[in-house]
Amino acid sequence: MIRISMTRDRDREHFDQGSRMVEPMSALRTLVQAELAFGGEIVEATGTRLTVVTRVLSCVDTTIFEGAADEMAVLNQTVLFYLQACQERDTVMEGVLADLARIPNGQGGVPLIINLAAPMLMGRNRLALATMMALGISEESDIAAGMLMGMDNLLAAYQLMQEFPGMSLADVSAATSVDMAA
């Protein structure tokens, strides 16, 4: 079991949000969906303890994952790929720009929207790249295609790749894309 302890700091106030014991896959879900997807920063990783600081709006959330090394392995492996993805700034930024371009009515260019969405878009695109790295997708054309997809579409495309082994991610993207001009 992995212990997840959470705190929140907002406007000079500190809130202890308690802790809970969860199975490793539940801890992984919390790490990915509630922390890294929102641009969380890994500030400590010891093998048995992982600390993530996430800033959203005026809140600073600190989440600590603690457990035995064997139970923490899936979290640590995810963090390794995530940190590698964080180094790929150009690739991640291309995904962020594609996300902003998809916001309707040109709102993706509004500074307030960019400021509010940036941490989440950075996190989402780092996770997309980390996911592709973890799945062994390394061709530049495949990564470029994957960065243009939402996470759900990326995972669905990977599933199609498994069902049709001769297709690359770029092939799946081209075969399933909808022409907006039509």
mmCIF file of all heavy atoms in Angstrom, residues 98-146:
data_model
loop_
_atom_site.group_PDB
_atom_site.id
_atom_site.type_symbol
_atom_site.label_atom_id
_atom_site.label_comp_id
_atom_site.label_asym_id
_atom_site.label_seq_id
_atom_site.Cartn_x
_atom_site.Cartn_y
_atom_site.Cartn_z
ATOM 1 N N ALA A 98 -0.585 23.465 -30.254
ATOM 2 C CA ALA A 98 -1.691 22.774 -30.934
ATOM 3 C C ALA A 98 -2.935 22.769 -30.050
ATOM 4 O O ALA A 98 -4.052 22.984 -30.545
ATOM 5 C CB ALA A 98 -1.279 21.342 -31.283
ATOM 6 N N ASP A 99 -2.768 22.557 -28.752
ATOM 7 C CA ASP A 99 -3.904 22.591 -27.823
ATOM 8 C C ASP A 99 -4.548 23.972 -27.805
ATOM 9 O O ASP A 99 -5.778 24.099 -27.836
ATOM 10 C CB ASP A 99 -3.475 22.218 -26.404
ATOM 11 C CG ASP A 99 -3.213 20.735 -26.232
ATOM 12 O OD1 ASP A 99 -3.701 19.934 -27.056
ATOM 13 O OD2 ASP A 99 -2.518 20.378 -25.262
ATOM 14 N N LEU A 100 -3.740 25.019 -27.720
ATOM 15 C CA LEU A 100 -4.275 26.380 -27.702
ATOM 16 C C LEU A 100 -5.011 26.699 -29.001
ATOM 17 O O LEU A 100 -6.045 27.368 -28.983
ATOM 18 C CB LEU A 100 -3.154 27.394 -27.459
ATOM 19 C CG LEU A 100 -2.565 27.413 -26.051
ATOM 20 C CD1 LEU A 100 -1.312 28.287 -26.003
ATOM 21 C CD2 LEU A 100 -3.595 27.874 -25.029
ATOM 22 N N ALA A 101 -4.505 26.206 -30.108
ATOM 23 C CA ALA A 101 -5.145 26.442 -31.401
ATOM 24 C C ALA A 101 -6.512 25.772 -31.495
ATOM 25 O O ALA A 101 -7.391 26.230 -32.225
ATOM 26 C CB ALA A 101 -4.244 25.969 -32.540
ATOM 27 N N ARG A 102 -6.709 24.690 -30.732
ATOM 28 C CA ARG A 102 -7.990 23.977 -30.764
ATOM 29 C C ARG A 102 -9.068 24.643 -29.907
ATOM 30 O O ARG A 102 -10.224 24.270 -29.969
ATOM 31 C CB ARG A 102 -7.808 22.529 -30.311
ATOM 32 C CG ARG A 102 -7.175 21.635 -31.365
ATOM 33 C CD ARG A 102 -7.283 20.167 -30.993
ATOM 34 N NE ARG A 102 -6.455 19.789 -29.875
ATOM 35 C CZ ARG A 102 -5.224 19.309 -29.971
ATOM 36 N NH1 ARG A 102 -4.680 19.148 -31.153
ATOM 37 N NH2 ARG A 102 -4.538 18.982 -28.899
ATOM 38 N N ILE A 103 -8.699 25.616 -29.085
ATOM 39 C CA ILE A 103 -9.696 26.299 -28.265
ATOM 40 C C ILE A 103 -10.562 27.138 -29.204
ATOM 41 O O ILE A 103 -10.047 27.917 -30.008
ATOM 42 C CB ILE A 103 -9.030 27.163 -27.173
ATOM 43 C CG1 ILE A 103 -8.265 26.252 -26.198
ATOM 44 C CG2 ILE A 103 -10.079 27.997 -26.433
ATOM 45 C CD1 ILE A 103 -7.474 26.981 -25.138
ATOM 46 N N PRO A 104 -11.892 26.987 -29.134
ATOM 47 C CA PRO A 104 -12.801 27.643 -30.097
ATOM 48 C C PRO A 104 -12.719 29.171 -30.081
ATOM 49 O O PRO A 104 -12.355 29.785 -29.083
ATOM 50 C CB PRO A 104 -14.197 27.192 -29.648
ATOM 51 C CG PRO A 104 -13.999 26.073 -28.707
ATOM 52 C CD PRO A 104 -12.605 26.180 -28.163
ATOM 53 N N ASN A 105 -13.094 29.739 -31.192
ATOM 54 C CA ASN A 105 -13.244 31.183 -31.371
ATOM 55 C C ASN A 105 -11.967 31.975 -31.105
ATOM 56 O O ASN A 105 -12.017 33.114 -30.657
ATOM 57 C CB ASN A 105 -14.376 31.720 -30.476
ATOM 58 C CG ASN A 105 -15.692 31.033 -30.756
ATOM 59 O OD1 ASN A 105 -16.024 30.761 -31.905
ATOM 60 N ND2 ASN A 105 -16.422 30.722 -29.705
ATOM 61 N N GLY A 106 -10.821 31.384 -31.357
ATOM 62 C CA GLY A 106 -9.557 32.079 -31.175
ATOM 63 C C GLY A 106 -9.211 32.407 -29.733
ATOM 64 O O GLY A 106 -8.285 33.169 -29.465
ATOM 65 N N GLN A 107 -9.934 31.829 -28.781
ATOM 66 C CA GLN A 107 -9.708 32.133 -27.372
ATOM 67 C C GLN A 107 -8.369 31.609 -26.875
ATOM 68 O O GLN A 107 -7.893 32.041 -25.832
ATOM 69 C CB GLN A 107 -10.845 31.560 -26.514
ATOM 70 C CG GLN A 107 -12.194 32.217 -26.771
ATOM 71 C CD GLN A 107 -12.179 33.687 -26.391
ATOM 72 O OE1 GLN A 107 -11.836 34.043 -25.286
ATOM 73 N NE2 GLN A 107 -12.533 34.534 -27.339
ATOM 74 N N GLY A 108 -7.750 30.685 -27.621
ATOM 75 C CA GLY A 108 -6.456 30.151 -27.224
ATOM 76 C C GLY A 108 -5.347 31.180 -27.281
ATOM 77 O O GLY A 108 -4.270 30.966 -26.751
ATOM 78 N N GLY A 109 -5.605 32.325 -27.914
ATOM 79 C CA GLY A 109 -4.619 33.395 -27.978
ATOM 80 C C GLY A 109 -4.832 34.484 -26.941
ATOM 81 O O GLY A 109 -4.052 35.425 -26.853
ATOM 82 N N VAL A 110 -5.863 34.362 -26.121
ATOM 83 C CA VAL A 110 -6.153 35.361 -25.096
ATOM 84 C C VAL A 110 -5.190 35.156 -23.919
ATOM 85 O O VAL A 110 -5.101 34.051 -23.375
ATOM 86 C CB VAL A 110 -7.628 35.235 -24.627
ATOM 87 C CG1 VAL A 110 -7.915 36.160 -23.456
ATOM 88 C CG2 VAL A 110 -8.574 35.487 -25.794
ATOM 89 N N PRO A 111 -4.466 36.216 -23.530
ATOM 90 C CA PRO A 111 -3.467 36.060 -22.454
ATOM 91 C C PRO A 111 -4.020 35.433 -21.172
ATOM 92 O O PRO A 111 -3.337 34.599 -20.567
ATOM 93 C CB PRO A 111 -2.991 37.496 -22.215
ATOM 94 C CG PRO A 111 -3.189 38.171 -23.539
ATOM 95 C CD PRO A 111 -4.443 37.556 -24.103
ATOM 96 N N LEU A 112 -5.213 35.793 -20.749
ATOM 97 C CA LEU A 112 -5.771 35.207 -19.529
ATOM 98 C C LEU A 112 -5.956 33.703 -19.690
ATOM 99 O O LEU A 112 -5.620 32.926 -18.790
ATOM 100 C CB LEU A 112 -7.104 35.868 -19.159
ATOM 101 C CG LEU A 112 -7.806 35.264 -17.934
ATOM 102 C CD1 LEU A 112 -6.954 35.456 -16.685
ATOM 103 C CD2 LEU A 112 -9.178 35.881 -17.751
ATOM 104 N N ILE A 113 -6.457 33.271 -20.835
ATOM 105 C CA ILE A 113 -6.656 31.842 -21.098
ATOM 106 C C ILE A 113 -5.311 31.127 -21.113
ATOM 107 O O ILE A 113 -5.148 30.057 -20.523
ATOM 108 C CB ILE A 113 -7.408 31.608 -22.433
ATOM 109 C CG1 ILE A 113 -8.780 32.269 -22.413
ATOM 110 C CG2 ILE A 113 -7.491 30.129 -22.759
ATOM 111 C CD1 ILE A 113 -9.750 31.709 -21.400
ATOM 112 N N ILE A 114 -4.331 31.726 -21.765
ATOM 113 C CA ILE A 114 -2.994 31.122 -21.817
ATOM 114 C C ILE A 114 -2.435 30.981 -20.403
ATOM 115 O O ILE A 114 -1.921 29.924 -20.033
ATOM 116 C CB ILE A 114 -2.037 31.957 -22.698
ATOM 117 C CG1 ILE A 114 -2.500 31.903 -24.164
ATOM 118 C CG2 ILE A 114 -0.594 31.479 -22.564
ATOM 119 C CD1 ILE A 114 -1.781 32.878 -25.074
ATOM 120 N N ASN A 115 -2.555 32.028 -19.595
ATOM 121 C CA ASN A 115 -2.031 32.004 -18.230
ATOM 122 C C ASN A 115 -2.714 30.929 -17.383
ATOM 123 O O ASN A 115 -2.053 30.220 -16.626
ATOM 124 C CB ASN A 115 -2.203 33.383 -17.584
ATOM 125 C CG ASN A 115 -1.478 33.482 -16.262
ATOM 126 O OD1 ASN A 115 -0.394 32.950 -16.107
ATOM 127 N ND2 ASN A 115 -2.096 34.164 -15.323
ATOM 128 N N LEU A 116 -4.015 30.792 -17.506
ATOM 129 C CA LEU A 116 -4.746 29.803 -16.720
ATOM 130 C C LEU A 116 -4.498 28.380 -17.221
ATOM 131 O O LEU A 116 -4.418 27.448 -16.436
ATOM 132 C CB LEU A 116 -6.248 30.100 -16.742
ATOM 133 C CG LEU A 116 -6.697 31.374 -16.030
ATOM 134 C CD1 LEU A 116 -8.181 31.608 -16.251
ATOM 135 C CD2 LEU A 116 -6.379 31.301 -14.545
ATOM 136 N N ALA A 117 -4.395 28.230 -18.535
ATOM 137 C CA ALA A 117 -4.287 26.894 -19.120
ATOM 138 C C ALA A 117 -2.857 26.368 -19.194
ATOM 139 O O ALA A 117 -2.656 25.152 -19.257
ATOM 140 C CB ALA A 117 -4.890 26.900 -20.528
ATOM 141 N N ALA A 118 -1.873 27.241 -19.160
ATOM 142 C CA ALA A 118 -0.483 26.827 -19.389
ATOM 143 C C ALA A 118 -0.016 25.670 -18.511
ATOM 144 O O ALA A 118 0.523 24.690 -19.040
ATOM 145 C CB ALA A 118 0.457 28.016 -19.269
ATOM 146 N N PRO A 119 -0.193 25.726 -17.176
ATOM 147 C CA PRO A 119 0.303 24.593 -16.377
ATOM 148 C C PRO A 119 -0.344 23.262 -16.753
ATOM 149 O O PRO A 119 0.324 22.238 -16.827
ATOM 150 C CB PRO A 119 -0.054 24.979 -14.932
ATOM 151 C CG PRO A 119 -0.203 26.454 -14.956
ATOM 152 C CD PRO A 119 -0.727 26.781 -16.322
ATOM 153 N N MET A 120 -1.642 23.301 -17.016
ATOM 154 C CA MET A 120 -2.342 22.064 -17.369
ATOM 155 C C MET A 120 -1.922 21.570 -18.747
ATOM 156 O O MET A 120 -1.740 20.373 -18.950
ATOM 157 C CB MET A 120 -3.849 22.269 -17.296
ATOM 158 C CG MET A 120 -4.332 22.463 -15.864
ATOM 159 S SD MET A 120 -6.062 22.889 -15.761
ATOM 160 C CE MET A 120 -5.992 24.641 -16.056
ATOM 161 N N LEU A 121 -1.750 22.492 -19.700
ATOM 162 C CA LEU A 121 -1.342 22.090 -21.048
ATOM 163 C C LEU A 121 0.089 21.561 -21.043
ATOM 164 O O LEU A 121 0.386 20.580 -21.729
ATOM 165 C CB LEU A 121 -1.480 23.260 -22.019
ATOM 166 C CG LEU A 121 -2.900 23.741 -22.270
ATOM 167 C CD1 LEU A 121 -2.887 24.947 -23.200
ATOM 168 C CD2 LEU A 121 -3.770 22.634 -22.826
ATOM 169 N N MET A 122 0.963 22.180 -20.266
ATOM 170 C CA MET A 122 2.334 21.676 -20.171
ATOM 171 C C MET A 122 2.330 20.270 -19.579
ATOM 172 O O MET A 122 2.990 19.366 -20.092
ATOM 173 C CB MET A 122 3.195 22.601 -19.298
ATOM 174 C CG MET A 122 3.477 23.952 -19.919
ATOM 175 S SD MET A 122 4.476 23.868 -21.398
ATOM 176 C CE MET A 122 6.048 23.425 -20.712
ATOM 177 N N GLY A 123 1.573 20.090 -18.507
ATOM 178 C CA GLY A 123 1.494 18.773 -17.879
ATOM 179 C C GLY A 123 0.929 17.730 -18.818
ATOM 180 O O GLY A 123 1.463 16.626 -18.948
ATOM 181 N N ARG A 124 -0.155 18.073 -19.517
ATOM 182 C CA ARG A 124 -0.782 17.125 -20.430
ATOM 183 C C ARG A 124 0.176 16.738 -21.546
ATOM 184 O O ARG A 124 0.287 15.568 -21.902
ATOM 185 C CB ARG A 124 -2.061 17.730 -21.036
ATOM 186 C CG ARG A 124 -2.864 16.642 -21.759
ATOM 187 C CD ARG A 124 -3.526 17.101 -23.041
ATOM 188 N NE ARG A 124 -2.689 17.367 -24.169
ATOM 189 C CZ ARG A 124 -2.186 16.458 -25.013
ATOM 190 N NH1 ARG A 124 -2.353 15.177 -24.802
ATOM 191 N NH2 ARG A 124 -1.475 16.809 -26.050
ATOM 192 N N ASN A 125 0.878 17.692 -22.087
ATOM 193 C CA ASN A 125 1.782 17.389 -23.195
ATOM 194 C C ASN A 125 3.035 16.663 -22.731
ATOM 195 O O ASN A 125 3.552 15.811 -23.445
ATOM 196 C CB ASN A 125 2.103 18.668 -23.967
ATOM 197 C CG ASN A 125 0.949 19.036 -24.870
ATOM 198 O OD1 ASN A 125 0.734 18.410 -25.893
ATOM 199 N ND2 ASN A 125 0.153 20.004 -24.450
ATOM 200 N N ARG A 126 3.512 16.955 -21.540
ATOM 201 C CA ARG A 126 4.624 16.170 -20.987
ATOM 202 C C ARG A 126 4.185 14.722 -20.769
ATOM 203 O O ARG A 126 4.938 13.795 -21.048
ATOM 204 C CB ARG A 126 5.105 16.778 -19.681
ATOM 205 C CG ARG A 126 5.873 18.059 -19.864
ATOM 206 C CD ARG A 126 6.171 18.717 -18.543
ATOM 207 N NE ARG A 126 7.007 19.882 -18.717
ATOM 208 C CZ ARG A 126 7.107 20.843 -17.814
ATOM 209 N NH1 ARG A 126 6.450 20.764 -16.686
ATOM 210 N NH2 ARG A 126 7.890 21.870 -18.042
ATOM 211 N N LEU A 127 2.963 14.552 -20.280
ATOM 212 C CA LEU A 127 2.449 13.192 -20.078
ATOM 213 C C LEU A 127 2.264 12.472 -21.406
ATOM 214 O O LEU A 127 2.529 11.273 -21.499
ATOM 215 C CB LEU A 127 1.129 13.225 -19.310
ATOM 216 C CG LEU A 127 1.264 13.498 -17.823
ATOM 217 C CD1 LEU A 127 -0.108 13.713 -17.204
ATOM 218 C CD2 LEU A 127 1.992 12.364 -17.132
ATOM 219 N N ALA A 128 1.804 13.185 -22.429
ATOM 220 C CA ALA A 128 1.649 12.553 -23.745
ATOM 221 C C ALA A 128 3.005 12.067 -24.251
ATOM 222 O O ALA A 128 3.133 10.927 -24.714
ATOM 223 C CB ALA A 128 1.026 13.537 -24.740
ATOM 224 N N LEU A 129 4.020 12.911 -24.143
ATOM 225 C CA LEU A 129 5.350 12.517 -24.597
ATOM 226 C C LEU A 129 5.896 11.378 -23.742
ATOM 227 O O LEU A 129 6.452 10.413 -24.267
ATOM 228 C CB LEU A 129 6.301 13.722 -24.567
ATOM 229 C CG LEU A 129 7.705 13.469 -25.099
ATOM 230 C CD1 LEU A 129 7.691 12.913 -26.519
ATOM 231 C CD2 LEU A 129 8.516 14.762 -25.033
ATOM 232 N N ALA A 130 5.717 11.474 -22.417
ATOM 233 C CA ALA A 130 6.188 10.402 -21.527
ATOM 234 C C ALA A 130 5.491 9.090 -21.848
ATOM 235 O O ALA A 130 6.121 8.027 -21.840
ATOM 236 C CB ALA A 130 5.945 10.792 -20.065
ATOM 237 N N THR A 131 4.199 9.158 -22.152
ATOM 238 C CA THR A 131 3.442 7.952 -22.500
ATOM 239 C C THR A 131 4.001 7.331 -23.777
ATOM 240 O O THR A 131 4.204 6.120 -23.846
ATOM 241 C CB THR A 131 1.947 8.282 -22.674
ATOM 242 O OG1 THR A 131 1.458 8.797 -21.438
ATOM 243 C CG2 THR A 131 1.148 7.058 -23.078
ATOM 244 N N MET A 132 4.265 8.168 -24.776
ATOM 245 C CA MET A 132 4.829 7.641 -26.022
ATOM 246 C C MET A 132 6.196 7.018 -25.772
ATOM 247 O O MET A 132 6.501 5.952 -26.314
ATOM 248 C CB MET A 132 4.897 8.740 -27.090
ATOM 249 C CG MET A 132 3.539 9.100 -27.662
ATOM 250 S SD MET A 132 3.627 10.280 -29.033
ATOM 251 C CE MET A 132 3.694 11.827 -28.136
ATOM 252 N N MET A 133 7.012 7.658 -24.951
ATOM 253 C CA MET A 133 8.332 7.110 -24.630
ATOM 254 C C MET A 133 8.189 5.761 -23.932
ATOM 255 O O MET A 133 8.900 4.810 -24.260
ATOM 256 C CB MET A 133 9.108 8.095 -23.757
ATOM 257 C CG MET A 133 9.473 9.385 -24.473
ATOM 258 S SD MET A 133 9.993 10.716 -23.358
ATOM 259 C CE MET A 133 11.603 10.142 -22.879
ATOM 260 N N ALA A 134 7.263 5.690 -22.981
ATOM 261 C CA ALA A 134 7.051 4.440 -22.236
ATOM 262 C C ALA A 134 6.534 3.333 -23.148
ATOM 263 O O ALA A 134 6.819 2.160 -22.920
ATOM 264 C CB ALA A 134 6.072 4.674 -21.087
ATOM 265 N N LEU A 135 5.778 3.701 -24.184
ATOM 266 C CA LEU A 135 5.228 2.717 -25.118
ATOM 267 C C LEU A 135 6.211 2.365 -26.231
ATOM 268 O O LEU A 135 5.899 1.556 -27.098
ATOM 269 C CB LEU A 135 3.916 3.243 -25.716
ATOM 270 C CG LEU A 135 2.777 3.460 -24.719
ATOM 271 C CD1 LEU A 135 1.593 4.125 -25.406
ATOM 272 C CD2 LEU A 135 2.363 2.144 -24.079
ATOM 273 N N GLY A 136 7.380 2.986 -26.221
ATOM 274 C CA GLY A 136 8.391 2.672 -27.226
ATOM 275 C C GLY A 136 8.215 3.418 -28.537
ATOM 276 O O GLY A 136 8.834 3.071 -29.540
ATOM 277 N N ILE A 137 7.396 4.444 -28.555
ATOM 278 C CA ILE A 137 7.209 5.244 -29.771
ATOM 279 C C ILE A 137 8.326 6.269 -29.816
ATOM 280 O O ILE A 137 8.444 7.119 -28.926
ATOM 281 C CB ILE A 137 5.820 5.925 -29.761
ATOM 282 C CG1 ILE A 137 4.728 4.860 -29.789
ATOM 283 C CG2 ILE A 137 5.684 6.904 -30.929
ATOM 284 C CD1 ILE A 137 3.329 5.383 -29.539
ATOM 285 N N SER A 138 9.170 6.183 -30.849
ATOM 286 C CA SER A 138 10.341 7.049 -30.884
ATOM 287 C C SER A 138 10.558 7.749 -32.226
ATOM 288 O O SER A 138 11.384 8.661 -32.306
ATOM 289 C CB SER A 138 11.595 6.245 -30.523
ATOM 290 O OG SER A 138 11.763 5.183 -31.445
ATOM 291 N N GLU A 139 9.849 7.327 -33.266
ATOM 292 C CA GLU A 139 10.003 7.982 -34.574
ATOM 293 C C GLU A 139 9.512 9.424 -34.490
ATOM 294 O O GLU A 139 8.457 9.697 -33.926
ATOM 295 C CB GLU A 139 9.214 7.233 -35.656
ATOM 296 C CG GLU A 139 9.803 5.900 -36.039
ATOM 297 C CD GLU A 139 11.156 6.044 -36.716
ATOM 298 O OE1 GLU A 139 11.341 6.968 -37.531
ATOM 299 O OE2 GLU A 139 12.031 5.220 -36.412
ATOM 300 N N GLU A 140 10.280 10.336 -35.060
ATOM 301 C CA GLU A 140 9.948 11.755 -34.995
ATOM 302 C C GLU A 140 8.564 12.053 -35.571
ATOM 303 O O GLU A 140 7.803 12.837 -35.000
ATOM 304 C CB GLU A 140 11.022 12.554 -35.739
ATOM 305 C CG GLU A 140 11.015 14.018 -35.426
ATOM 306 C CD GLU A 140 12.224 14.730 -36.016
ATOM 307 O OE1 GLU A 140 13.360 14.262 -35.823
ATOM 308 O OE2 GLU A 140 11.999 15.758 -36.666
ATOM 309 N N SER A 141 8.207 11.415 -36.677
ATOM 310 C CA SER A 141 6.895 11.657 -37.289
ATOM 311 C C SER A 141 5.771 11.133 -36.402
ATOM 312 O O SER A 141 4.696 11.741 -36.317
ATOM 313 C CB SER A 141 6.816 11.012 -38.679
ATOM 314 O OG SER A 141 7.026 9.607 -38.580
ATOM 315 N N ASP A 142 6.020 10.026 -35.707
ATOM 316 C CA ASP A 142 5.012 9.480 -34.795
ATOM 317 C C ASP A 142 4.827 10.384 -33.584
ATOM 318 O O ASP A 142 3.706 10.639 -33.142
ATOM 319 C CB ASP A 142 5.396 8.074 -34.336
ATOM 320 C CG ASP A 142 5.310 7.050 -35.451
ATOM 321 O OD1 ASP A 142 4.552 7.274 -36.414
ATOM 322 O OD2 ASP A 142 6.016 6.026 -35.361
ATOM 323 N N ILE A 143 5.929 10.885 -33.038
ATOM 324 C CA ILE A 143 5.841 11.771 -31.876
ATOM 325 C C ILE A 143 5.138 13.063 -32.268
ATOM 326 O O ILE A 143 4.273 13.553 -31.529
ATOM 327 C CB ILE A 143 7.232 12.025 -31.268
ATOM 328 C CG1 ILE A 143 7.700 10.736 -30.587
ATOM 329 C CG2 ILE A 143 7.205 13.194 -30.290
ATOM 330 C CD1 ILE A 143 9.074 10.773 -30.001
ATOM 331 N N ALA A 144 5.448 13.600 -33.435
ATOM 332 C CA ALA A 144 4.776 14.828 -33.893
ATOM 333 C C ALA A 144 3.277 14.591 -34.027
ATOM 334 O O ALA A 144 2.468 15.431 -33.612
ATOM 335 C CB ALA A 144 5.375 15.286 -35.225
ATOM 336 N N ALA A 145 2.880 13.458 -34.576
ATOM 337 C CA ALA A 145 1.453 13.142 -34.714
ATOM 338 C C ALA A 145 0.808 12.966 -33.347
ATOM 339 O O ALA A 145 -0.303 13.462 -33.102
ATOM 340 C CB ALA A 145 1.274 11.874 -35.554
ATOM 341 N N GLY A 146 1.495 12.292 -32.440
ATOM 342 C CA GLY A 146 0.954 12.060 -31.105
ATOM 343 C C GLY A 146 0.782 13.334 -30.306
ATOM 344 O O GLY A 146 -0.166 13.461 -29.522
#
